[in-house]
Structures are given as C-alpha cells and as structure tokens.
Amino acid sequence: MHKITWIGAFLLINNMVIAQEGKEVPQKVDRPKVENRVRRSVNVEPLSPKKLWELGRVTAEGLSKDGSQLIYGVSNYQF
C-alpha cells in the first residue's frame, strides 16, 4: 500500500510539472479589459435552474495524437 501511495504522488507531481512546461504566466492584468467585463456582467440576469437544464453538458473525451485539438462531447437533457 505504501508503494502505491508513492507511485500516485510521483504521477501527480509529474503531471503538474508537465502541465506547466512552456506556458507563460502573464505578470500583469489588463485592468480596463477586466473592468469592462465586470460592468457588462452586472446587467446580466442570473441563471435559473430551468436555464441551467437547457444548457449542454460538455465533457472532455480526449486529445488528438499531437495534442493540438481537443475531442469533446455535449450532452443535452429533455424532460
């Protein structure tokens, strides 16, 4: 059991390192852009439970072999 814990921890750390490689993290936030989005979202009506059920559920199915495209599925429910 102890071995499995170590293997799991190694895999988790390894995946975190791989996910961070090659990605630049912006150091500054474009304040006017963020403020404009906040102002526009103030007048938006909140989502009702009925509206949430009307939205499709997106699931990640996989990646292309070269990792440049995501394969996804959309599920819709009707009552």
Side-chain angles (χ1 to χ4, degrees):
M1 186 69 176
H2 192 64
K3 247 185 188 179
I4 293 174
T5 304
W6 279 105
I7 292 171
F10 172 76
L11 290 173
L12 178 65
I13 292 169
N14 188 36
N15 287 339
M16 288 171 39
V17 169
I18 290 171
Q20 294 299 321
E21 283 182 5
K23 292 185 179 180
E24 293 182 25
V25 178
Q27 298 300 318
K28 288 189 170 186
V29 174
D30 187 8
R31 281 190 88 70
K33 192 174 187 180
V34 172
E35 289 171 357
N36 286 338
R37 284 187 179 181
V38 170
R39 283 192 193 110
R40 283 186 294 199
S41 67
V42 171
N43 298 329
V44 176
E45 199 174 304
L47 290 172
S48 66
K50 181 181 177 186
K51 190 58 115 174
L52 285 171
W53 277 110
E54 292 174 5
L55 297 173
R57 280 27 169 215
V58 179
T59 57
E61 302 292 335
L63 292 173
S64 63
K65 291 189 185 223
D66 63 355
S68 65
Q69 296 181 353
L70 173 70
I71 302 167
Y72 65 92
V74 179
S75 302
N76 291 304
Y77 301 96
Q78 292 182 357
F79 292 100

